[in-house]
Amino acid sequence: MKAIVISRLGGPEVLEVRDVPDPETSAAGRELVEVQAGGLNFADLMAVQGGYPGTPKPPLVSGREFCGVREGDRQRVMGYTQWGAFAERVAARSELLWAVPENWTVEEGAAFPVNYFTAYFAYWKAGLVGDPMSTVHTSPRVLIHVVAGGVGTAAVQIGKLLGVEMYGTSSSDAKLARVKGLGLQHGINYKQRDYEEAVKELTHGKGVDAVFEMLGGEHTAKSVRCLGDFGRVIVYGSATGQKPELDTRLLYAKGASVHGLWLTYLSANHELMKNAWTQLSTWTSQGHLHPVIGDVLPMERAAEAYRLLSEGKNFGKVVLKIT
């Protein structure tokens, strides 16, 4: 079968379309899926560079999420795996395969698993689903970094359903305008103004209840400074490639906290994933959730797709067509 292979560590140029052996399905609980499309994530960029924990040494097949047809019953499914998704076939864990909504394209299916489970768990970690945090105002406030990206657009759709007042950062007024169409109330162009100052001004000094932080470096501390009393920063990535900077003494004055979110770890908790899917699938069946697709490229242009994401030129999801 053909697959997108990380030939060695480096940049997008190390990606190659190669013939590789079919995946093994002998392991219990694994099912074979004929892949039609795969969704690209920041974790895939990190894997190419050698910065994603637990990734085997190259050469290996790239990709974490996919959409296709299950070989056993020919049902359309979307799924999540640690690697190996960007191939004509993948052997996936049964509990991490979900039925694709009937009216969705394969591109939409490929854009769902990582973004929507991550966004849902961010709200869950922030205490805004299941056991809502007590706030002094009617609508909880959330700051979403890279709001025009895959997780960002998913978080806006979910936040709208939860009645959240959302603040989002992006590098482009045009992108912010499009995300406002999804339900974002407050857009902040971080190239034009400091988002910390903008949040302070927009909330009249009160701050937000949660920040969804995936930038790393100085932004971890800046995000904490955007919080109000007892707020929470949910850290789920480091897109800048910089180690998060945080003096924990900054947390004391507000009773604030920082929480980690790693879908790789959470995906092993079957009950947690099942509960999340119960809610996500309900919203999906009601027509509330729609993956935002930015660019769709053939697998032969994988390097170009990775560059789009690494350079922040995408809006919504970058998807690779596999077959």
Side-chain angles (χ1 to χ4, degrees):
M1 66 175 185
K2 292 190 180 299
I4 298 172
V5 174
I6 302 173
S7 62
R8 61 189 186 283
L9 298 182
E13 71 280 352
V14 306
L15 296 165
E16 299 177 2
V17 176
R18 292 183 181 179
D19 288 319
V20 299
D22 282 348
E24 289 287 336
T25 56
S26 55
R30 295 265 174 181
E31 296 186 70
L32 194 65
V33 176
E34 298 170 7
V35 179
Q36 297 170 323
L40 191 58
N41 298 281
F42 276 104
D44 299 313
L45 298 180
M46 294 174 66
V48 168
Q49 299 162 357
Y52 198 84
T55 304
K57 294 181 180 180
L60 79 151
V61 177
S62 187
R64 312 181 67 76
E65 65 183 339
F66 56 90
C67 182
V69 178
R70 181 160 47 199
E71 202 171 71
D73 58 9
R74 308 307 298 173
Q75 181 181 12
R76 293 204 312 155
V77 292
M78 51 193 179
Y80 174 75
T81 184
Q82 296 309 309
W83 50 82
F86 298 163
E88 291 179 324
R89 288 175 289 282
V90 63
R93 286 163 46 189
S94 301
E95 69 274 12
L96 296 181
L97 291 174
W98 305 281
V100 181
E102 186 175 344
N103 60 336
W104 279 15
T105 65
V106 293
E107 291 83 5
E108 289 173 315
F112 185 88
V114 170
N115 291 165
Y116 284 85
F117 275 99
T118 298
Y120 177 85
F121 284 132
Y123 282 109
W124 174 69
K125 295 281 281 187
L128 298 175
V129 292
D131 183 21
M133 65 161 59
S134 176
T135 59
V136 295
H137 41 268
T138 303
S139 298
R141 301 185 177 109
V142 173
L143 172 62
I144 305 167
H145 286 307
V146 194
V147 73
V151 174
T153 52
V156 168
Q157 292 178 24
I158 293 174
K160 183 178 180 180
L161 293 171
L162 296 174
V164 172
E165 185 174 353
M166 295 171 286
Y167 303 72
T169 66
S170 179
S171 62
S172 161
D173 286 341
K175 287 183 179 182
L176 289 170
R178 293 176 69 181
V179 185
K180 283 184 177 180
L182 299 175
L184 178 72
Q185 296 97 331
H186 308 283
I188 303 169
N189 185 330
Y190 66 81
K191 288 193 173 182
Q192 296 180 358
R193 64 187 304 200
D194 181 87
Y195 65 79
E196 184 183 339
E197 291 300 317
V199 168
K200 183 177 180 180
E201 179 184 323
L202 290 167
T203 63
H204 306 288
K206 294 181 179 180
V208 296
D209 297 293
V211 181
F212 297 168
E213 206 290 278
M214 46 74 71
L215 296 169
E218 65 172 346
H219 299 286
T220 308
K222 281 175 68 69
S223 294
V224 171
R225 292 195 294 268
C226 290
L227 293 173
D229 292 343
F230 311 113
R232 306 176 186 184
V233 172
I234 313 302
V235 178
Y236 68 95
S238 185
T240 63
Q242 300 172 1
K243 183 178 179 181
E245 300 172 6
L246 177 64
D247 183 339
T248 55
R249 291 174 295 183
L250 185 61
L251 305 173
Y252 300 166
K254 302 177 181 179
S257 55
V258 177
H259 299 248
L261 192 171
W262 192 24
L263 189 58
T264 293
Y265 174 74
L266 296 179
S267 66
N269 187 319
H270 299 175
E271 194 64 25
L272 191 63
M273 293 294 288
K274 180 181 178 181
N275 291 340
W277 174 242
T278 297
Q279 180 60 82
L280 288 170
S281 61
T282 298
W283 285 334
T284 299
S285 66
Q286 294 169 345
H288 296 309
L289 303 183
H290 301 279
V292 177
I293 310 299
D295 298 271
V296 181
L297 289 86
M299 64 191 304
E300 290 78 14
R301 294 170 62 188
E304 182 181 341
Y306 275 62
R307 288 192 188 96
L308 280 172
L309 192 61
S310 66
E311 295 171 3
K313 294 181 178 179
N314 63 298
F315 178 81
K317 193 75 171 183
V318 178
V319 174
L320 287 164
K321 290 284 286 185
I322 304 300
T323 59

